[in-house]
Amino acid sequence: MMLLIAFGATVSGSPASAETGQVLYVTDGDTFRLTSGERIRIANIDAPETHRGQAKCAQEIERSLAASARLRAMIDPRNVSFERIGRSYNRTVATVSVGGRDLGEMLIDSSAAMAAPPSQAGLVRLSAPRGDDSAARMVCAGARRGPIGFATGE
């Protein structure tokens, strides 16, 4: 079953509030761990998968490593602000900002990630159905690539 939650609300329906934390390390192109131990999954983006069991092709792994490096350069070991909006695979799903800028948008602008599919505009997927591979389709298909591997829209 797929669960969806609207922006600006937590699972309980109460308004989200911004918190801050220091980045300990980057896990992959859309996930990092804070010094508190909490794992944060950046909301509303899709980055290539890093692990062989999840990636759809070798190019996806290569592009995932580049996306992870890009995220690392943006946040490691900086302080970030985040608003929790849900949970996914034992991670906090949150909108994240660095220096007042939305980190998800920064990753999309740098071609390190793509926006969540249009069918989910304004929503965050908390549990992906098996086989959901929108980032992998962009990387492994024959679409024209940007610097990290997502389609440029041209």
Side-chain angles (χ1 to χ4, degrees), residues 39 87-92:
R39 290 189 322 147
R87 302 264 318 150
S88 174
Y89 301 104
N90 294 318
R91 301 171 295 183
T92 296

Side-chain angles (χ1 to χ4, degrees), residues 27-92:
T27 306
D28 60 26
D30 55 23
T31 305
F32 59 92
R33 187 177 295 269
L34 298 174
T35 56
S36 67
E38 185 173 13
R39 290 189 322 147
I40 305 288
R41 166 63 163 85
I42 303 165
N44 305 310
I45 65 169
D46 197 3
E49 294 295 335
T50 303
H51 305 289
R52 291 191 190 278
Q54 297 170 326
K56 303 294 183 200
C57 63
Q59 292 82 5
E60 184 177 5
I61 294 171
E62 291 172 18
R63 289 180 175 92
S64 175
L65 296 174
S68 297
R70 182 75 50 89
L71 177 58
R72 194 172 294 111
M74 291 177 173
I75 66 171
D76 201 12
R78 300 178 63 181
N79 285 326
V80 296
S81 296
F82 60 97
E83 291 187 26
R84 289 181 180 89
I85 56 176
R87 302 264 318 150
S88 174
Y89 301 104
N90 294 318
R91 301 171 295 183
T92 296

